Amino acid sequence: MLTFEDIQAAAQRIGGAAHRTPVLTSRTLNDRVGAEVFLKAENFQRIGAFKFRGAYNAVSRLTAEQLGRGVAAYSSGNHAQAVALAASLAGTSAVILMPADAPPTKVAATRGYGAEVVTYDRYTEDRTAIALELAETRGLTLIPPYDHYDVMAGQGTVALELIEEVGQLGALLVPVGGGGLMAGCATAATTLSPGIRMIGVEPAAGDDHARSLAAGRRVEIEIPRTIADGQAIAIPGELTFEVNSRLVDSFELVSDDEIRDAMVFAFERLKIVLEPSGASALAALLTGRIEGLPERVGVVLSGGNVGLERFVELLGRSRPEH
Amino acid sequence: MLTFEDIQAAAQRIGGAAHRTPVLTSRTLNDRVGAEVFLKAENFQRIGAFKFRGAYNAVSRLTAEQLGRGVAAYSSGNHAQAVALAASLAGTSAVILMPADAPPTKVAATRGYGAEVVTYDRYTEDRTAIALELAETRGLTLIPPYDHYDVMAGQGTVALELIEEVGQLGALLVPVGGGGLMAGCATAATTLSPGIRMIGVEPAAGDDHARSLAAGRRVEIEIPRTIADGQAIAIPGELTFEVNSRLVDSFELVSDDEIRDAMVFAFERLKIVLEPSGASALAALLTGRIEGLPERVGVVLSGGNVGLERFVELLGRSRPEH
């Protein structure tokens, strides 16, 4: 079970380590969408994304014995850096399993937080099996990227902070990959702002949550091809889906081009940097397709980890100034 | 005379209209420079730069009769949009004189705030003469970009807010173009944080303030060629130099490449967008050339108005990911 009290406890635990990220507002955005919009800017979180919250909360809950042996995670994305930093702050060691062809900058960043990086061949080797074996032989505790109550509780502090700061909201838009951020945020938001409409946002190519909600059970799709790499997941988490199937009202789908437009809007109008997954909830709002938008809307901007080179590759060519 | 009381009064006047911009901090930055750094993020100000503060303060001080006739300004940059928006909020009209070859997006943005744009040929016509004639024939009040006490007092609220929020600082780095931002900030900061070192930052190609301070009088240079267009000014303002020659301790010069590096650092590490002039004070800090850096340092990030296309043109080619 994931309860509101778990999220309050997580907020206490991460308070000294995580940033209380700013809530941004923009008259231009409000005028454009016809609502008062509150943007929770997790691109300003430590390691550049919300993932630090869940990782730190999970690591904080380990026993002295577990901390003595160390933690492990498999990820080529923000969760890798989140676990690496959380472990370092907790005074324990981390082993991160990454594909051998992961971007060198991400490997370097993870090592920069003091983690040991173990690589594998993602075309021939089974990541989960390697991670489990690694965890078992070395006695490491595996910190999953989303399907874990302590991780979900940590991510829920995003909505907790947002609503504590700005008050009741009519709707909250949250990017959904594995569903951990949404499960935590939905648990916090439906308690703090009763009647709030929880809207999950997925890339159109990765609509596993939308399909699963419609089917009433977890539906697996092909690994999505989308620029929103943080949301390129084929099936909802087991624990996260149990929460989200109860608390999420609907899922919105956005195309890669709509995500690009939102990244440009964030850059030129909000003066902030968002990675594709970090911009997807904003993209859904900007499409104008959400019907019956309430007066006060929250949007989670989940991360900003995109190097300049990749940013230019995504947006720099043949796109006019907006 | 510019007094601390003028800046306090300006803060009262602009309070309802200007944003109280956030102060950003970064552990990565602190570690890199060996000081605790507080970044005042005026890229999040209305119209995307600090210029709104001074323009709004100046417009607020006009009489009902002056407001009835309207205001005028000449600028192809942030001051144009600042005066246009300030006039619109004050319920008066604005005429902005811009070069005929100004970027269409800037002309459109200025018109978007309700201003009338009058163009001139910058190669054959005298901007000041046209502006004065326009002001006289139409009875408009000219709002100068920096050399005016009400404008300087408005800009000084940047330092006022920063020090009110974070407390005493050992040094404050401020980008210098015409010198209005510095004159206001130096007046506020030296009162609120006695003994503070005021460090002005200029592009190396536009070192008119540095030369003027050394010479003890205003020195004119050729129109500087630099990517920091907001600082491409040939001679310090008369009124601003009187203030700055008394209150500024030193000027630091930064190359265009150092400004580019700071823009990339802001993008990749801070997740924010800075225009070249907006990044110059950060650039000076990042060079490591400032000797005897105190423990607590403030830096003004003065603006973020750079379109994606221009950003890519400046940074997107042949620059490695940092």
Side-chain angles (χ1 to χ4, degrees):
Chain A
M1 271 286 286
L2 180 67
T3 67
F4 179 65
E5 288 68 32
D6 294 332
I7 294 162
Q8 289 182 305
Q12 287 295 322
R13 248 172 248 128
I14 72 174
H19 290 318
R20 191 178 178 100
T21 52
V23 177
L24 309 179
T25 58
S26 155
R27 288 177 177 81
T28 309
L29 179 60
N30 292 354
D31 290 347
R32 176 153 162 190
V33 304
E36 199 177 352
V37 184
F38 301 93
L39 304 163
K40 181 67 170 166
E42 286 295 298
N43 56 322
F44 295 131
Q45 188 50 266
R46 291 185 82 171
I47 72 104
F50 74 96
K51 289 278 184 185
F52 177 71
R53 295 174 183 265
Y56 190 83
N57 189 49
V59 170
S60 301
R61 300 264 288 159
L62 299 181
T63 64
E65 198 193 331
Q66 288 173 310
L67 288 173
R69 288 195 303 261
V71 301
Y74 46 91
S75 164
S76 57
N78 293 330
H79 182 62
Q81 292 174 54
V83 171
L85 177 58
S88 156
L89 293 172
T92 185
S93 59
V95 178
I96 311 290
L97 189 62
M98 297 179 101
D101 58 350
T105 50
K106 291 209 169 173
V107 176
T110 305
R111 287 204 174 109
Y113 291 118
E116 177 188 346
V117 173
V118 173
T119 58
Y120 69 99
D121 183 333
R122 65 167 147 182
Y123 303 101
T124 61
E125 296 185 281
D126 177 357
R127 177 175 83 162
T128 315
I130 298 174
L132 287 174
E133 199 198 313
L134 201 64
E136 197 167 335
T137 55
R138 298 218 210 165
L140 308 175
T141 305
L142 202 60
I143 310 290
Y146 48 85
D147 223 8
H148 188 291
Y149 287 124
D150 293 331
V151 173
M152 288 186 248
Q155 322 302 32
T157 59
V158 171
L160 183 79
E161 286 180 9
L162 173 61
I163 297 172
E164 273 180 4
E165 183 166 335
V166 307
Q168 303 284 302
L169 294 172
L172 180 58
L173 279 73
V174 181
V176 177
L181 177 61
M182 177 52 111
C185 284
T187 301
T190 54
T191 300
L192 288 173
S193 191
I196 192 170
R197 227 170 108 188
M198 293 301 303
I199 303 174
V201 179
E202 292 185 298
D207 61 346
D208 53 308
H209 279 86
R211 289 182 193 225
S212 299
L213 191 71
R217 59 176 176 79
R218 292 161 66 225
V219 173
E220 184 163 8
I221 60 172
E222 294 214 352
I223 299 279
R225 284 175 185 272
T226 167
I227 61 170
D229 51 335
Q231 298 176 275
I233 289 171
I235 184 167
E238 224 177 301
L239 304 178
T240 59
F241 185 69
E242 190 284 312
V243 176
N244 291 331
S245 61
R246 283 187 291 110
L247 299 181
V248 176
D249 293 276
S250 62
F251 285 92
E252 291 288 326
L253 304 180
V254 289
S255 70
D256 279 4
D257 272 348
E258 287 165 347
I259 291 174
R260 285 190 178 92
D261 286 343
M263 291 172 73
V264 175
F265 184 92
F267 182 97
E268 294 197 332
R269 301 309 186 101
L270 307 177
K271 319 295 181 192
I272 60 170
V273 178
L274 296 178
E275 64 186 279
S277 306
S280 67
L282 176 62
L285 184 66
L286 289 172
T287 63
R289 285 197 300 266
I290 299 173
E291 281 176 27
L293 203 64
E295 278 174 30
R296 292 166 57 83
V297 178
V299 176
V300 178
L301 309 176
S302 59
N305 285 328
V306 54
L308 178 61
E309 200 177 357
R310 174 69 177 147
F311 187 80
V312 170
E313 192 182 301
L314 285 168
L315 302 174
R317 288 170 198 147
S318 74
R319 293 186 69 80
E321 199 166 322
H322 281 224
Chain B
M1 270 287 286
L2 180 67
T3 67
F4 179 65
E5 289 68 33
D6 294 333
I7 295 163
Q8 288 181 306
Q12 287 294 323
R13 249 172 247 129
I14 72 173
H19 291 318
R20 191 177 178 102
T21 52
V23 177
L24 309 178
T25 58
S26 156
R27 286 177 178 79
T28 309
L29 179 59
N30 292 354
D31 291 347
R32 177 152 160 191
V33 305
E36 198 176 355
V37 184
F38 302 92
L39 304 163
K40 181 67 170 166
E42 286 295 297
N43 57 323
F44 295 130
Q45 187 50 266
R46 291 187 82 172
I47 73 102
F50 74 95
K51 289 278 184 184
F52 177 71
R53 296 173 183 265
Y56 189 83
N57 188 51
V59 170
S60 301
R61 298 265 288 159
L62 300 181
T63 64
E65 198 193 331
Q66 288 173 310
L67 288 173
R69 288 195 302 260
V71 301
Y74 46 92
S75 164
S76 57
N78 293 328
H79 182 61
Q81 293 174 55
V83 171
L85 177 58
S88 156
L89 293 172
T92 186
S93 59
V95 179
I96 311 291
L97 189 63
M98 297 179 99
D101 58 349
T105 51
K106 292 211 168 170
V107 176
T110 305
R111 287 206 173 107
Y113 291 118
E116 177 189 346
V117 173
V118 172
T119 59
Y120 70 99
D121 183 335
R122 66 166 145 181
Y123 303 102
T124 62
E125 296 185 281
D126 177 358
R127 177 175 83 162
T128 315
I130 298 174
L132 287 174
E133 198 198 315
L134 201 65
E136 196 166 337
T137 55
R138 297 218 210 167
L140 308 174
T141 305
L142 202 60
I143 310 289
Y146 49 84
D147 222 8
H148 187 293
Y149 287 125
D150 293 332
V151 173
M152 289 185 246
Q155 322 304 29
T157 60
V158 171
L160 183 79
E161 286 179 10
L162 173 62
I163 297 171
E164 272 179 6
E165 185 167 334
V166 307
Q168 302 283 303
L169 293 172
L172 180 58
L173 279 73
V174 181
V176 177
L181 176 61
M182 178 51 112
C185 284
T187 302
T190 53
T191 301
L192 288 172
S193 191
I196 192 171
R197 225 170 108 188
M198 293 302 303
I199 303 174
V201 179
E202 292 185 297
D207 61 346
D208 52 308
H209 279 86
R211 288 181 195 227
S212 299
L213 191 71
R217 59 175 177 81
R218 293 160 67 224
V219 173
E220 184 163 7
I221 59 172
E222 294 215 353
I223 299 279
R225 288 176 183 271
T226 167
I227 61 170
D229 51 336
Q231 298 177 276
I233 289 172
I235 183 167
E238 223 177 302
L239 304 179
T240 59
F241 184 68
E242 189 284 313
V243 176
N244 291 330
S245 61
R246 281 188 290 112
L247 300 181
V248 176
D249 294 278
S250 62
F251 286 92
E252 291 289 326
L253 304 180
V254 288
S255 71
D256 280 4
D257 272 348
E258 286 165 348
I259 291 174
R260 285 190 176 92
D261 286 344
M263 291 172 74
V264 175
F265 184 91
F267 182 99
E268 296 197 331
R269 300 309 185 100
L270 308 176
K271 319 296 182 193
I272 61 170
V273 178
L274 296 179
E275 63 186 278
S277 306
S280 67
L282 176 62
L285 184 65
L286 288 171
T287 63
R289 284 197 300 265
I290 299 174
E291 281 175 28
L293 204 64
E295 278 174 31
R296 293 166 56 82
V297 178
V299 176
V300 178
L301 309 176
S302 59
N305 286 327
V306 55
L308 178 60
E309 200 178 354
R310 174 71 178 146
F311 187 81
V312 170
E313 193 182 301
L314 284 169
L315 301 174
R317 288 171 197 146
S318 76
R319 291 186 71 82
E321 199 166 320
H322 281 225

